[in-house]
Amino acid sequence: DSIPTSTQNPGVSPAISHVIKSVSDADADGGSVYVVSVGKRYQVQSMQQFFDYGFKESEISYLPLSAIIKMNSGGMLSNFVKSPNGSVFGLSESRKKLIFEYSTYKRLNPSDNITNLSYYLIDKIPSSAPIVDRPVLIKYSTGESLTYYYQNTYANIPTYEKYVCSGFETTNQTPVYRIPQNNYIDNVAANEDLSCNVS
């Protein structure tokens, strides 16, 4: 209610979206664009980053700068984001890539600058293959079957017998990660079962 309507302030959008900027490019923030999520505004660092998030210029709402600066600042928008359930993603090429292990995240993002996004914004960004430094076993949010993933290769592990003969029960070196939502990685149909010759 504290935000002026467009009739009170020409150029102000009649509705607010998750991407905002001030009406003028000549004001104090230099025409910066912000993403608003989980109660904070994050300043977009570049148009490349803007498009990495999959945003379109038509999604931008225009507000008075005075209304924008009243919002809590979350600093600069990061290309690493976290969902409310704690899942962490890297963003590139307009897609999100799930990161399972903290060591992988720290290697890619040593500054630890991360943006908290709502479920709504996380779900708006299409998923890609996860980022891993070693083979992993993926358990989807529904069902108990496992999928082996490494270097953009997926393979089914349809039975416990296949799990055992592949050596996972004895070596204990391949971690198992359950993804909280199936759409957090791209919709991959593994076209073959894992061979028992995997080392």
Side-chain angles (χ1 to χ4, degrees):
D1 289 344
S2 65
I3 298 172
T5 65
S6 55
T7 56
Q8 296 170 309
N9 195 332
V12 171
S13 299
I16 300 175
S17 89
H18 44 272
V19 185
I20 60 172
K21 77 176 295 295
S22 65
V23 175
S24 172
D25 288 345
D27 54 23
D29 75 343
S32 296
V33 177
Y34 302 90
V35 174
V36 180
S37 186
V38 197
K40 292 185 178 180
R41 61 176 166 89
Y42 299 90
Q43 185 174 346
V44 177
Q45 299 188 55
S46 67
M47 288 310 291
Q48 180 59 56
Q49 185 184 52
F50 181 86
F51 294 123
D52 280 343
Y53 271 73
F55 296 137
K56 301 178 180 66
E57 292 181 56
S58 60
E59 295 179 87
I60 298 174
S61 287
Y62 294 87
L63 301 175
L65 181 60
S66 59
I68 292 174
I69 62 177
K70 287 179 182 177
M71 300 179 186
N72 292 327
S73 174
M76 302 301 286
L77 188 67
S78 174
N79 271 47
F80 294 88
V81 300
K82 183 164 64 173
S83 74
N85 62 26
S87 298
V88 173
F89 304 85
L91 290 181
S92 63
E93 301 173 344
S94 303
R95 291 186 172 272
K96 65 179 183 285
K97 301 177 180 182
L98 185 60
I99 301 172
F100 291 112
E101 299 186 292
Y102 183 70
S103 59
T104 304
Y105 165 75
K106 286 299 290 181
R107 176 180 63 79
L108 297 171
N109 187 27
S111 69
D112 202 27
N113 179 27
I114 194 164
T115 296
N116 293 301
L117 290 187
S118 65
Y119 286 121
Y120 172 75
L121 286 181
I122 286 286
D123 288 345
K124 274 180 63 70
I125 305 168
S127 297
S128 185
I131 301 173
V132 298
D133 289 329
R134 58 175 173 163
V136 296
L137 296 172
I138 298 169
K139 186 178 285 189
Y140 289 87
S141 61
T142 53
E144 294 300 318
S145 63
L146 294 172
T147 298
Y148 174 88
Y149 172 75
Y150 188 55
Q151 295 180 338
N152 293 320
T153 299
Y154 294 84
N156 295 314
I157 304 176
T159 63
Y160 178 71
E161 289 75 16
K162 181 71 71 170
Y163 175 84
V164 171
C165 79
S166 298
F168 295 121
E169 187 176 58
T170 56
T171 60
N172 200 29
Q173 294 176 346
T174 307
V176 178
Y177 294 103
R178 180 183 286 277
I179 56 175
Q181 293 184 209
N182 287 350
N183 65 349
Y184 276 9
I185 62 174
D186 56 352
N187 194 9
V188 173
N191 54 17
E192 60 182 24
D193 291 350
L194 185 67
S195 167
C196 285
N197 295 324
V198 169
S199 57

